[in-house]
Amino acid sequence: MQKGLSGAQNEILTAVVAAAREERGRTGAEGAERVVAEETERRCAERHEGGGPTGHPWR
């Protein structure tokens, strides 16, 4: 939350950064950048798939 993100946004950020770090170790910076773009889009789409409010102000 220190980053000004909700709990769910922070979870997405943390997961994407971890995946990108792993990929960078295997394939370098280009692979990490690809993972960031793909995983961020996928995880955000999953999170907002219903389009409605979450019912919790910090999630």
Side-chain angles (χ1 to χ4, degrees):
M1 302 252 198
Q2 296 172 355
K3 299 172 197 80
L5 303 175
S6 70
Q9 289 169 330
N10 193 55
E11 288 172 16
I12 291 170
L13 173 64
T14 302
V16 168
V17 168
R21 285 182 176 154
E22 277 186 39
E23 188 64 25
R24 184 177 185 158
R26 284 192 297 271
T27 65
E30 286 184 26
E33 289 175 14
R34 179 183 43 79
V35 166
V36 168
E38 292 173 0
E39 282 297 300
T40 301
E41 183 176 340
R42 181 183 69 77
R43 290 172 185 268
C44 288
E46 285 176 3
R47 165 114 176 87
H48 298 287
E49 147 180 87
T54 63
H56 189 285
W58 295 104
R59 300 280 300 158

